[in-house]
């Protein structure tokens, strides 16, 4: 994304006013906004290719707050990787990538050089509240012209079609295509049994406006975000060191709710009270509208064993879990108005951050910490801080 201001200043202003942050001026391909924005045609990324070749494109969404659709006109892409893990190859004309996610795709060029160029387009997928950058960024796929062939000077420029901005069904169908290789060389070590179950609702809510202050969030409040209605407040002392030296008092509490305290229809009509509570907790719910949330867990990859729309059914939905070849990722999109089920083996001791990869939701408190205790074996112990750790 391209901002005509310091993004940190934009977020700080948003936190002060309680409203959503000012959106970016443009999206970019490799830093170039391209011809769809005013005065930017000269700053267009061009991918030059040869006919009859196979190219690997590494796609990374580095936008702060937007999931993005991506497509190349008149070309099919073969997805082979997600978040640095091989997947069963599948073909698609359109991809959707959340902030922080990566995908490798294979592009096979036409055997004969066409007298045409092809737009590569990206634009947001969005179903939530507030403002967002509703624009489309373009780059150009261009075949190398045969030498001394003047007919290639006036090329036709083809443009792909992208889904509607709020096309949640496309996003869900696309996400369901990802599968681990699950073979002898690249096994899928999916936990077949579960020792602990957690049920988290991730949502936007609100905080009351402080006295003697005007707030620009919903109905004069301040936007907030929460997991199980807890909007995480960053402590002034590092969680990891507090845990290691057993000095957690006054830093955090280990009573994070494992289930929503006050169940309601999570994907239906929200309750009247959408206020969240604030706290620094490691491990009554409210929601302001349905929105997709790409969740990222530090220290682990997770297996996505199931997803669906509506409220999760703990009796029937687990019967449909994929425990054979589910995709393994480090950033997982929770469907808008739906649920996702993940499993992981807690074998990496320490304190690990889990948060929404939308920067604004992270700033609003959609984050939490997992404390993974030491195991019995020597290689299952959290090592002490390094001797050269800087002092705060």
């Amino acid at each position: 994304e391209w901002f005509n201001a310091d993004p940190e200043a934009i977020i700080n202003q948003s936190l002060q006013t309680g409203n959503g942050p000012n959106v970016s001026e443009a999206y970019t391909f490799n830093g170039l906004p391209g011809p769809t924005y005013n005065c930017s045609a000269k700053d267009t990324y061009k991918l030059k290719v040869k006919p009859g070749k196979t190219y690997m494109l590494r796609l990374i969404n580095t936008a702060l707050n937007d999931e993005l659709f991506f497509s190349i006109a008149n070309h099919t892409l073969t997805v082979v990787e997600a978040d640095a893990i091989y997947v069963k190859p599948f073909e698609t004309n359109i991809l959707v990538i959340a902030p922080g996610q990566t995908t490798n795709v294979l592009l096979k060029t036409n055997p004969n050089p066409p007298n045409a160029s092809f737009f590569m387009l990206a634009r947001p997928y969005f179903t939530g509240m507030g403002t967002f950058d509703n624009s489309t960024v373009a780059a150009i796929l261009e075949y190398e012209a045969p030498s001394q062939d003047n007919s290639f000077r006036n090329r036709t420029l083809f443009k792909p079609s992208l889904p509607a901005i709020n096309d949640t069904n496309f996003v869900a169908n696309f996400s369901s295509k990802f599968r681990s290789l699950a073979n002898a060389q690249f096994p899928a070590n999916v936990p077949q049994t579960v020792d602990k179950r957690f049920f988290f609702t991730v949502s936007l809510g609100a905080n009351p406006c402080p006295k003697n202050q005007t707030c620009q969030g919903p109905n004069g409040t301040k936007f907030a975000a929460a997991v199980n209605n807890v909007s995480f407040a960053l402590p002034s002392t590092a969680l990891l060191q507090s845990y290691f030296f057993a000095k957690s008092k006054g830093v955090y509490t280990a009573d994070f709710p494992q289930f929503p305290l006050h169940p309601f229809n999570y994907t239906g009509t929200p309750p009247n009270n959408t206020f969240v509570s604030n706290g620094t907790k490691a491990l009554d719910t409210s929601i302001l509208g349905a929105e997709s949330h790409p969740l990222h867990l530090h220290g682990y990859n997770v297996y996505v064993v199931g997803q669906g729309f509506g409220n999760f059914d703990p009796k029937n939905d687990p019967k449909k879990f994929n425990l054979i070849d589910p995709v393994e990722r480090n950033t997982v999109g929770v469907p808008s108005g739906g649920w996702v089920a993940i499993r992981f083996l807690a074998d990496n001791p320490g304190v690990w951050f889990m948060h929404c990869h939308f920067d604004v939701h992270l700033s609003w408190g959609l984050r939490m910490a997992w404390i993974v205790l030491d195991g019995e074996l020597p290689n299952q112990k959290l090592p002490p801080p390094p001797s050269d750790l800087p002092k705060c």
Side-chain angles (χ1 to χ4, degrees), residues 171-234:
V171 175
N173 291 334
F174 177 75
S175 300
S176 67
K177 294 179 180 179
F178 286 85
R179 294 281 188 273
S180 292
L181 286 182
N183 57 27
Q185 186 179 4
F186 300 101
N189 299 314
V190 191
Q192 299 296 306
T193 58
V194 174
D195 298 306
K196 288 192 174 183
R197 288 178 171 82
F198 300 88
F199 186 92
F200 295 147
T201 58
V202 292
S203 61
L204 296 187
N207 274 328
C209 189
K211 290 184 178 180
N212 301 321
Q213 184 177 334
T214 300
C215 297
Q216 299 172 10
N219 299 317
T221 63
K222 301 183 77 167
F223 267 119
V227 181
N228 277 1
N229 205 46
V230 178
S231 186
F232 191 88
L234 286 176

Side-chain angles (χ1 to χ4, degrees), residues 65 67 125-129 202 204 287-293 334-338 358 360-361 364:
N65 295 313
E67 296 176 83
Y125 160 64
F126 185 81
T127 64
M129 298 183 64
V202 292
L204 296 187
I287 184 171
L288 276 173
E291 187 169 0
S292 174
H293 295 280
V334 181
S336 177
F358 289 152
V360 63
H361 292 179
W364 286 341

